[in-house]
Amino acid sequence: EAGVAQSPRYKIIEKRQSVAFWCNPISGHATLYWYQQILGQGPKLLIQFQNNGVVDDSQLPKDRFSAERLKGVDSTLKIQPAKLEDSAVYLCASSQGLAGGPTRRADTQYFGPGTRLTVL
Amino acid sequence: DQQVKQNSPSLSVQEGRISILNCDYTNSMFDYFLWYKKYPAEGPTFLISISSIKDKNEDGRFTVFLNKSAKHLSLHIVPSQPGDSAVYFCAASGSNDYKLSFGAGTTVTVRA
C-alpha cells in the first residue's frame, strides 16, 4: 500500500513570495490533515478535510494560508505572502475517517515525509 | 497553550536497557492517547495508543502506561535497540474530538 505522498520535499523562498505544497493521501482515506511543525515543537494542526469539505480550520492563518482538496483526494496548501515565521516542516496526514461525517475519535493518522520550508 | 508536554527533550540509553519516555497533559477532556515515532526526513509513524478506560497497553517491546489521576502517561521500550533511535511524540485527543494535540517530542538515542 502506497503511503502519503508530498511534494516538494524542500523549498526555499524569500519573504513575501508565494509557495504551494501538494499532498496525495493514502487511497481510500476520507480524512486529510495539514500540520505545521516548527523546529523543536510538535506538529500543530492547520486544517482538516473530510472528503472535500473543511472540518476544522480554526488554527489556519487565513489571511495568508489557504488549502483546498478538490474531488476529495489530493490537496494543496498555499502560503501567500510568506513570512519568516512560516519556516517549518509542513506535514500532510490521512486517515480512514468514518463514513457519513467527521471522526468522533482521532483514528490512526498516517503521515507523509513533509515539506521543509525555509523563508529567507 | 501547550496541553501536552514532554519535559525531557532527549534521552540516551544503552542497547538492551529500558527506555522510559514521559508525557503529561493538562486537558481533563483528553481520553485517547497515542505515541508516534519519527526518523529524520520522514513523517511520524503511529506506534501505540491507549484509551482512558485502560491503564496499560502492550505491543511487543512497547508498553504504554496511563495514570489518569496524575494526567501522566509513559512509554516503555524494552529492550531498547539501535533502530529505536528516533524522536517520539506523545499525542492526545478528547471525546468527540478528532483533533490531536502533540507534545514537543523526545529524542531517544540508543547507544551500542
Side-chain angles (χ1 to χ4, degrees):
Chain A
E1 177 182 83
V4 176
Q6 289 188 248
S7 68
R9 293 295 309 276
Y10 305 91
K11 190 73 177 178
I12 301 174
I13 61 173
E14 294 189 351
K15 59 182 179 182
R16 291 188 290 273
Q17 285 188 320
S18 302
V19 65
F21 312 127
W22 173 82
C23 172
N24 181 241
I26 292 173
S27 177
H29 279 192
T31 311
L32 185 146
Y33 313 78
W34 282 103
Y35 288 87
Q36 179 192 59
Q37 185 181 7
I38 293 172
L39 186 65
Q41 299 180 19
K44 183 186 83 171
L45 180 68
L46 292 175
I47 189 168
Q48 177 185 343
F49 292 94
Q50 177 77 6
N51 297 310
N52 61 349
V54 175
V55 172
D56 185 344
D57 62 357
S58 58
Q59 299 192 91
L60 187 73
K62 298 181 187 63
D63 57 334
R64 298 183 300 106
F65 286 65
S66 65
E68 60 181 7
R69 189 183 184 195
L70 300 176
K71 301 180 181 178
V73 182
D74 293 6
S75 177
T76 56
L77 175 69
K78 296 179 182 177
I79 308 175
Q80 179 180 10
K83 292 185 175 181
L84 296 177
E85 59 261 36
D86 298 332
S87 294
V89 174
Y90 290 84
L91 294 162
C92 179
S94 70
S95 65
Q96 288 187 323
L98 291 177
T103 57
R104 292 176 62 84
R105 171 175 300 291
D107 56 343
T108 300
Q109 297 181 24
Y110 297 86
F111 286 82
T115 297
R116 181 175 296 278
L117 173 68
T118 302
V119 182
L120 303 175
Chain B
D1 179 23
Q2 197 76 355
Q3 300 186 79
V4 178
K5 297 180 182 178
Q6 293 177 257
N7 292 319
S8 296
S10 63
L11 172 70
S12 181
V13 64
Q14 195 162 10
E15 182 178 2
R17 298 290 184 95
I18 185 171
S19 294
I20 299 177
L21 291 78
N22 294 303
C23 177
D24 297 293
Y25 60 96
T26 57
N27 190 337
S28 58
M29 299 302 291
F30 285 155
D31 67 351
Y32 187 60
F33 306 89
L34 308 89
W35 286 93
Y36 279 81
K37 176 180 179 179
K38 184 183 183 303
Y39 292 118
E42 295 183 13
T45 56
F46 171 74
L47 191 58
I48 192 169
S49 64
I50 187 168
S51 167
S52 62
I53 61 173
K54 294 185 175 182
D55 54 18
K56 175 183 174 181
N57 189 26
E58 193 172 350
D59 183 1
R61 298 185 297 114
F62 302 91
T63 303
V64 56
F65 296 91
L66 176 62
N67 182 334
K68 291 185 290 293
S69 61
K71 294 191 178 67
H72 175 84
L73 64 154
S74 61
L75 174 68
H76 291 207
I77 307 172
V78 55
S80 300
Q81 299 175 354
D84 297 330
S85 294
V87 179
Y88 291 79
F89 292 100
C90 174
S93 72
S95 299
N96 301 326
D97 188 357
Y98 45 80
K99 193 182 301 184
L100 285 180
S101 295
F102 283 85
T106 297
T107 300
V108 172
T109 302
V110 180
R111 308 186 310 272

Short mmCIF file of all heavy atoms in Angstrom, two decimals, chain A residues 105-106 108, chain B residues 23 25 29-36 46-59 62-68 71-76 89-95 100:
data_model
loop_
_atom_site.label_atom_id
_atom_site.label_comp_id
_atom_site.label_asym_id
_atom_site.label_seq_id
_atom_site.Cartn_x
_atom_site.Cartn_y
_atom_site.Cartn_z
N ARG A 105 -13.56 10.07 17.00
CA ARG A 105 -12.34 9.87 17.75
C ARG A 105 -11.19 9.93 16.77
O ARG A 105 -11.32 9.49 15.64
CB ARG A 105 -12.36 8.51 18.44
CG ARG A 105 -11.03 8.16 19.07
CD ARG A 105 -11.08 6.89 19.86
NE ARG A 105 -12.01 6.89 20.96
CZ ARG A 105 -11.85 7.61 22.05
NH1 ARG A 105 -10.83 8.40 22.19
NH2 ARG A 105 -12.75 7.55 23.01
N ALA A 106 -10.07 10.42 17.25
CA ALA A 106 -8.91 10.50 16.38
C ALA A 106 -8.49 9.11 15.95
O ALA A 106 -7.95 8.36 16.74
CB ALA A 106 -7.77 11.21 17.11
N THR A 108 -6.22 6.47 13.53
CA THR A 108 -4.80 6.49 13.24
C THR A 108 -4.51 7.33 12.01
O THR A 108 -5.09 7.11 10.94
CB THR A 108 -4.28 5.06 13.04
OG1 THR A 108 -4.53 4.31 14.22
CG2 THR A 108 -2.79 5.07 12.75
N CYS B 23 5.16 11.76 29.48
CA CYS B 23 4.28 12.74 28.85
C CYS B 23 3.24 13.16 29.88
O CYS B 23 2.67 12.32 30.57
CB CYS B 23 3.62 12.09 27.63
SG CYS B 23 2.44 13.13 26.75
N TYR B 25 -0.26 15.78 30.51
CA TYR B 25 -1.28 16.56 29.81
C TYR B 25 -2.09 17.35 30.82
O TYR B 25 -2.16 17.02 32.00
CB TYR B 25 -2.18 15.66 28.95
CG TYR B 25 -2.94 14.59 29.70
CD1 TYR B 25 -4.26 14.80 30.10
CD2 TYR B 25 -2.34 13.37 29.99
CE1 TYR B 25 -4.96 13.83 30.76
CE2 TYR B 25 -3.04 12.38 30.65
CZ TYR B 25 -4.35 12.61 31.04
OH TYR B 25 -5.05 11.64 31.71
N MET B 29 -10.29 16.61 29.46
CA MET B 29 -11.19 16.03 28.47
C MET B 29 -10.48 15.03 27.56
O MET B 29 -11.13 14.29 26.83
CB MET B 29 -11.82 17.13 27.61
CG MET B 29 -12.65 18.13 28.39
SD MET B 29 -13.98 17.34 29.30
CE MET B 29 -15.02 16.82 27.94
N PHE B 30 -9.17 14.98 27.62
CA PHE B 30 -8.43 14.02 26.80
C PHE B 30 -8.73 12.62 27.29
O PHE B 30 -8.68 12.33 28.50
CB PHE B 30 -6.93 14.27 26.89
CG PHE B 30 -6.46 15.47 26.11
CD1 PHE B 30 -5.29 16.12 26.49
CD2 PHE B 30 -7.14 15.94 25.00
CE1 PHE B 30 -4.83 17.22 25.80
CE2 PHE B 30 -6.69 17.05 24.30
CZ PHE B 30 -5.53 17.69 24.70
N ASP B 31 -9.04 11.72 26.37
CA ASP B 31 -9.32 10.35 26.78
C ASP B 31 -8.73 9.32 25.83
O ASP B 31 -9.03 8.12 25.93
CB ASP B 31 -10.83 10.12 26.94
CG ASP B 31 -11.57 10.20 25.61
OD1 ASP B 31 -10.95 10.61 24.60
OD2 ASP B 31 -12.76 9.88 25.59
N TYR B 32 -7.91 9.77 24.91
CA TYR B 32 -7.28 8.84 23.97
C TYR B 32 -5.88 9.37 23.70
O TYR B 32 -5.71 10.55 23.39
CB TYR B 32 -8.10 8.77 22.68
CG TYR B 32 -7.65 7.72 21.70
CD1 TYR B 32 -7.63 6.37 22.06
CD2 TYR B 32 -7.27 8.05 20.42
CE1 TYR B 32 -7.23 5.40 21.16
CE2 TYR B 32 -6.87 7.09 19.52
CZ TYR B 32 -6.85 5.77 19.89
OH TYR B 32 -6.46 4.81 19.01
N PHE B 33 -4.90 8.47 23.82
CA PHE B 33 -3.51 8.91 23.77
C PHE B 33 -2.73 8.03 22.81
O PHE B 33 -2.95 6.82 22.73
CB PHE B 33 -2.90 8.84 25.18
CG PHE B 33 -3.70 9.60 26.20
CD1 PHE B 33 -4.72 8.97 26.90
CD2 PHE B 33 -3.45 10.94 26.43
CE1 PHE B 33 -5.50 9.68 27.82
CE2 PHE B 33 -4.21 11.65 27.35
CZ PHE B 33 -5.23 11.02 28.04
N LEU B 34 -1.81 8.65 22.10
CA LEU B 34 -1.05 7.94 21.09
C LEU B 34 0.43 8.32 21.20
O LEU B 34 0.77 9.42 21.67
CB LEU B 34 -1.53 8.31 19.68
CG LEU B 34 -3.01 8.21 19.36
CD1 LEU B 34 -3.76 9.50 19.67
CD2 LEU B 34 -3.22 7.85 17.88
N TRP B 35 1.26 7.41 20.77
CA TRP B 35 2.68 7.70 20.61
C TRP B 35 3.04 7.52 19.14
O TRP B 35 2.65 6.54 18.50
CB TRP B 35 3.54 6.77 21.46
CG TRP B 35 3.52 7.09 22.92
CD1 TRP B 35 2.69 6.57 23.86
CD2 TRP B 35 4.37 8.01 23.61
NE1 TRP B 35 2.96 7.11 25.09
CE2 TRP B 35 3.99 7.99 24.97
CE3 TRP B 35 5.42 8.84 23.22
CZ2 TRP B 35 4.63 8.77 25.94
CZ3 TRP B 35 6.06 9.62 24.18
CH2 TRP B 35 5.67 9.58 25.53
N TYR B 36 3.79 8.49 18.63
CA TYR B 36 4.30 8.44 17.28
C TYR B 36 5.82 8.47 17.33
O TYR B 36 6.42 9.09 18.21
CB TYR B 36 3.80 9.64 16.45
CG TYR B 36 2.41 9.50 15.89
CD1 TYR B 36 1.29 9.74 16.68
CD2 TYR B 36 2.21 9.10 14.58
CE1 TYR B 36 0.02 9.61 16.17
CE2 TYR B 36 0.93 8.97 14.04
CZ TYR B 36 -0.15 9.23 14.86
OH TYR B 36 -1.42 9.09 14.34
N PHE B 46 2.73 5.98 13.45
CA PHE B 46 2.00 5.54 14.64
C PHE B 46 2.70 4.36 15.30
O PHE B 46 3.13 3.41 14.63
CB PHE B 46 0.57 5.15 14.25
CG PHE B 46 -0.21 4.49 15.35
CD1 PHE B 46 -0.68 5.23 16.42
CD2 PHE B 46 -0.45 3.12 15.32
CE1 PHE B 46 -1.38 4.61 17.43
CE2 PHE B 46 -1.15 2.51 16.31
CZ PHE B 46 -1.63 3.25 17.38
N LEU B 47 2.79 4.41 16.62
CA LEU B 47 3.48 3.36 17.36
C LEU B 47 2.50 2.57 18.24
O LEU B 47 2.38 1.36 18.10
CB LEU B 47 4.56 4.00 18.23
CG LEU B 47 5.57 3.10 18.91
CD1 LEU B 47 6.31 2.26 17.91
CD2 LEU B 47 6.55 3.95 19.72
N ILE B 48 1.81 3.24 19.10
CA ILE B 48 0.92 2.56 20.05
C ILE B 48 -0.05 3.59 20.62
O ILE B 48 0.26 4.78 20.65
CB ILE B 48 1.74 1.88 21.18
CG1 ILE B 48 0.87 0.93 22.01
CG2 ILE B 48 2.43 2.92 22.06
CD1 ILE B 48 1.69 0.04 22.95
N SER B 49 -1.22 3.11 21.05
CA SER B 49 -2.20 4.02 21.63
C SER B 49 -2.82 3.40 22.87
O SER B 49 -2.65 2.21 23.14
CB SER B 49 -3.30 4.34 20.61
OG SER B 49 -4.02 3.17 20.28
N ILE B 50 -3.54 4.22 23.62
CA ILE B 50 -4.24 3.74 24.80
C ILE B 50 -5.48 4.60 25.03
O ILE B 50 -5.44 5.83 24.87
CB ILE B 50 -3.33 3.72 26.05
CG1 ILE B 50 -4.05 3.04 27.22
CG2 ILE B 50 -2.90 5.14 26.43
CD1 ILE B 50 -3.11 2.72 28.39
N SER B 51 -6.57 3.94 25.37
CA SER B 51 -7.80 4.63 25.72
C SER B 51 -7.83 4.84 27.22
O SER B 51 -7.22 4.08 27.98
CB SER B 51 -8.99 3.78 25.29
OG SER B 51 -10.18 4.25 25.86
N SER B 52 -8.58 5.84 27.66
CA SER B 52 -8.62 6.15 29.09
C SER B 52 -9.32 5.08 29.93
O SER B 52 -9.26 5.12 31.16
CB SER B 52 -9.29 7.49 29.32
OG SER B 52 -10.63 7.45 28.87
N ILE B 53 -9.97 4.12 29.28
CA ILE B 53 -10.60 3.06 30.06
C ILE B 53 -9.57 2.00 30.48
O ILE B 53 -9.88 1.10 31.25
CB ILE B 53 -11.75 2.39 29.28
CG1 ILE B 53 -11.24 1.73 27.99
CG2 ILE B 53 -12.85 3.39 28.99
CD1 ILE B 53 -12.29 0.93 27.27
N LYS B 54 -8.36 2.13 29.95
CA LYS B 54 -7.29 1.21 30.32
C LYS B 54 -6.19 1.95 31.05
O LYS B 54 -6.09 3.19 30.96
CB LYS B 54 -6.70 0.57 29.06
CG LYS B 54 -7.65 -0.34 28.31
CD LYS B 54 -6.91 -1.00 27.15
CE LYS B 54 -7.78 -2.02 26.45
NZ LYS B 54 -7.04 -2.69 25.35
N ASP B 55 -5.34 1.23 31.74
CA ASP B 55 -4.17 1.86 32.32
C ASP B 55 -2.87 1.31 31.74
O ASP B 55 -1.78 1.78 32.09
CB ASP B 55 -4.17 1.75 33.85
CG ASP B 55 -4.31 0.31 34.32
OD1 ASP B 55 -4.07 -0.60 33.50
OD2 ASP B 55 -4.67 0.11 35.49
N LYS B 56 -3.01 0.33 30.84
CA LYS B 56 -1.82 -0.25 30.25
C LYS B 56 -2.19 -0.85 28.90
O LYS B 56 -3.25 -1.45 28.73
CB LYS B 56 -1.26 -1.32 31.18
CG LYS B 56 -0.07 -2.10 30.65
CD LYS B 56 0.33 -3.19 31.65
CE LYS B 56 1.42 -4.08 31.08
NZ LYS B 56 1.80 -5.16 32.04
N ASN B 57 -1.28 -0.68 27.95
CA ASN B 57 -1.44 -1.34 26.66
C ASN B 57 -0.05 -1.76 26.19
O ASN B 57 0.90 -0.98 26.24
CB ASN B 57 -2.10 -0.42 25.64
CG ASN B 57 -2.47 -1.15 24.36
OD1 ASN B 57 -2.69 -2.36 24.38
ND2 ASN B 57 -2.54 -0.43 23.25
N GLU B 58 0.02 -3.00 25.73
CA GLU B 58 1.31 -3.57 25.38
C GLU B 58 1.31 -4.04 23.94
O GLU B 58 0.34 -4.62 23.47
CB GLU B 58 1.59 -4.74 26.33
CG GLU B 58 2.99 -5.25 26.34
CD GLU B 58 3.19 -6.27 27.46
OE1 GLU B 58 2.29 -6.41 28.31
OE2 GLU B 58 4.24 -6.93 27.47
N ASP B 59 2.41 -3.80 23.24
CA ASP B 59 2.56 -4.29 21.89
C ASP B 59 4.03 -4.62 21.67
O ASP B 59 4.85 -3.74 21.40
CB ASP B 59 2.09 -3.22 20.88
CG ASP B 59 2.15 -3.72 19.44
OD1 ASP B 59 2.53 -4.89 19.21
OD2 ASP B 59 1.81 -2.94 18.54
N PHE B 62 6.95 -2.56 23.23
CA PHE B 62 6.42 -1.24 23.61
C PHE B 62 5.21 -1.38 24.53
O PHE B 62 4.28 -2.13 24.24
CB PHE B 62 6.02 -0.45 22.36
CG PHE B 62 7.14 -0.26 21.38
CD1 PHE B 62 7.36 -1.18 20.36
CD2 PHE B 62 7.99 0.81 21.49
CE1 PHE B 62 8.41 -1.02 19.47
CE2 PHE B 62 9.04 0.99 20.60
CZ PHE B 62 9.24 0.07 19.59
N THR B 63 5.26 -0.67 25.64
CA THR B 63 4.15 -0.64 26.59
C THR B 63 3.85 0.81 26.95
O THR B 63 4.78 1.56 27.27
CB THR B 63 4.47 -1.42 27.86
OG1 THR B 63 4.81 -2.78 27.51
CG2 THR B 63 3.27 -1.45 28.80
N VAL B 64 2.59 1.16 26.92
CA VAL B 64 2.20 2.50 27.36
C VAL B 64 1.39 2.36 28.64
O VAL B 64 0.51 1.50 28.74
CB VAL B 64 1.43 3.26 26.26
CG1 VAL B 64 0.21 2.50 25.78
CG2 VAL B 64 1.04 4.65 26.73
N PHE B 65 1.72 3.19 29.61
CA PHE B 65 1.02 3.23 30.89
C PHE B 65 0.32 4.58 31.01
O PHE B 65 0.89 5.62 30.67
CB PHE B 65 2.02 3.08 32.05
CG PHE B 65 2.72 1.76 32.08
CD1 PHE B 65 3.94 1.59 31.43
CD2 PHE B 65 2.17 0.68 32.76
CE1 PHE B 65 4.60 0.37 31.46
CE2 PHE B 65 2.83 -0.54 32.80
CZ PHE B 65 4.04 -0.70 32.15
N LEU B 66 -0.91 4.53 31.53
CA LEU B 66 -1.68 5.76 31.71
C LEU B 66 -2.09 5.91 33.17
O LEU B 66 -2.67 5.00 33.75
CB LEU B 66 -2.92 5.74 30.82
CG LEU B 66 -3.89 6.91 30.97
CD1 LEU B 66 -3.22 8.23 30.59
CD2 LEU B 66 -5.15 6.68 30.13
N ASN B 67 -1.79 7.06 33.75
CA ASN B 67 -2.21 7.40 35.11
C ASN B 67 -3.12 8.62 35.00
O ASN B 67 -2.66 9.76 34.92
CB ASN B 67 -0.99 7.71 35.97
CG ASN B 67 -1.36 8.01 37.41
OD1 ASN B 67 -2.48 8.46 37.71
ND2 ASN B 67 -0.44 7.77 38.32
N LYS B 68 -4.44 8.35 34.98
CA LYS B 68 -5.39 9.43 34.73
C LYS B 68 -5.41 10.46 35.85
O LYS B 68 -5.54 11.66 35.61
CB LYS B 68 -6.79 8.86 34.51
CG LYS B 68 -6.94 8.09 33.22
CD LYS B 68 -8.36 7.63 32.99
CE LYS B 68 -8.79 6.55 33.94
NZ LYS B 68 -8.04 5.28 33.70
N LYS B 71 -2.67 12.66 35.32
CA LYS B 71 -2.62 13.16 33.95
C LYS B 71 -1.24 12.92 33.36
O LYS B 71 -0.56 13.84 32.85
CB LYS B 71 -2.99 14.65 33.89
CG LYS B 71 -4.44 14.96 34.26
CD LYS B 71 -4.78 16.41 33.90
CE LYS B 71 -6.22 16.73 34.22
NZ LYS B 71 -6.49 16.73 35.68
N HIS B 72 -0.83 11.69 33.43
CA HIS B 72 0.52 11.32 33.02
C HIS B 72 0.50 10.00 32.29
O HIS B 72 -0.24 9.08 32.66
CB HIS B 72 1.41 11.21 34.27
CG HIS B 72 2.79 10.73 33.98
ND1 HIS B 72 3.80 11.59 33.58
CD2 HIS B 72 3.34 9.49 34.02
CE1 HIS B 72 4.91 10.91 33.39
NE2 HIS B 72 4.67 9.63 33.65
N LEU B 73 1.28 9.92 31.23
CA LEU B 73 1.47 8.64 30.57
C LEU B 73 2.94 8.45 30.26
O LEU B 73 3.71 9.42 30.22
CB LEU B 73 0.60 8.48 29.32
CG LEU B 73 0.81 9.37 28.12
CD1 LEU B 73 0.34 8.65 26.86
CD2 LEU B 73 0.03 10.66 28.26
N SER B 74 3.30 7.19 30.11
CA SER B 74 4.69 6.89 29.81
C SER B 74 4.75 5.77 28.77
O SER B 74 3.85 4.95 28.67
CB SER B 74 5.46 6.51 31.07
OG SER B 74 4.91 5.35 31.66
N LEU B 75 5.83 5.78 28.04
CA LEU B 75 6.10 4.74 27.05
C LEU B 75 7.37 4.02 27.47
O LEU B 75 8.39 4.66 27.71
CB LEU B 75 6.30 5.36 25.66
CG LEU B 75 6.72 4.40 24.55
CD1 LEU B 75 5.59 3.43 24.22
CD2 LEU B 75 7.14 5.17 23.30
N HIS B 76 7.27 2.70 27.59
CA HIS B 76 8.42 1.89 27.94
C HIS B 76 8.83 1.08 26.72
O HIS B 76 7.98 0.44 26.08
CB HIS B 76 8.08 0.93 29.10
CG HIS B 76 7.86 1.64 30.39
ND1 HIS B 76 8.08 1.02 31.61
CD2 HIS B 76 7.45 2.89 30.69
CE1 HIS B 76 7.81 1.87 32.58
NE2 HIS B 76 7.42 3.01 32.05
N PHE B 89 6.87 11.30 19.75
CA PHE B 89 5.87 12.30 20.08
C PHE B 89 4.71 11.66 20.82
O PHE B 89 4.19 10.61 20.40
CB PHE B 89 5.32 12.97 18.82
CG PHE B 89 6.30 13.84 18.10
CD1 PHE B 89 6.98 13.38 16.99
CD2 PHE B 89 6.55 15.14 18.54
CE1 PHE B 89 7.89 14.19 16.32
CE2 PHE B 89 7.46 15.95 17.87
CZ PHE B 89 8.13 15.47 16.77
N CYS B 90 4.28 12.29 21.87
CA CYS B 90 3.07 11.94 22.58
C CYS B 90 1.94 12.80 22.02
O CYS B 90 2.15 13.99 21.72
CB CYS B 90 3.29 12.23 24.07
SG CYS B 90 1.85 12.03 25.11
N ALA B 91 0.75 12.22 21.83
CA ALA B 91 -0.38 12.98 21.31
C ALA B 91 -1.64 12.57 22.06
O ALA B 91 -1.72 11.47 22.60
CB ALA B 91 -0.55 12.74 19.80
N ALA B 92 -2.62 13.47 22.09
CA ALA B 92 -3.84 13.20 22.84
C ALA B 92 -5.03 13.81 22.14
O ALA B 92 -4.91 14.81 21.42
CB ALA B 92 -3.73 13.76 24.26
N SER B 93 -6.20 13.19 22.36
CA SER B 93 -7.44 13.76 21.85
C SER B 93 -8.56 13.51 22.85
O SER B 93 -8.42 12.67 23.75
CB SER B 93 -7.82 13.17 20.49
OG SER B 93 -8.25 11.83 20.65
N GLY B 94 -9.65 14.24 22.69
CA GLY B 94 -10.76 14.14 23.62
C GLY B 94 -11.96 13.45 23.00
O GLY B 94 -11.99 13.19 21.80
N SER B 95 -12.95 13.15 23.81
CA SER B 95 -14.18 12.53 23.30
C SER B 95 -14.81 13.41 22.26
O SER B 95 -14.87 14.62 22.41
CB SER B 95 -15.16 12.33 24.46
OG SER B 95 -14.62 11.48 25.43
N LEU B 100 -5.78 16.02 17.22
CA LEU B 100 -4.67 15.55 18.03
C LEU B 100 -3.84 16.74 18.50
O LEU B 100 -3.50 17.61 17.71
CB LEU B 100 -3.77 14.62 17.22
CG LEU B 100 -4.25 13.20 16.94
CD1 LEU B 100 -3.22 12.45 16.12
CD2 LEU B 100 -4.53 12.45 18.23
#
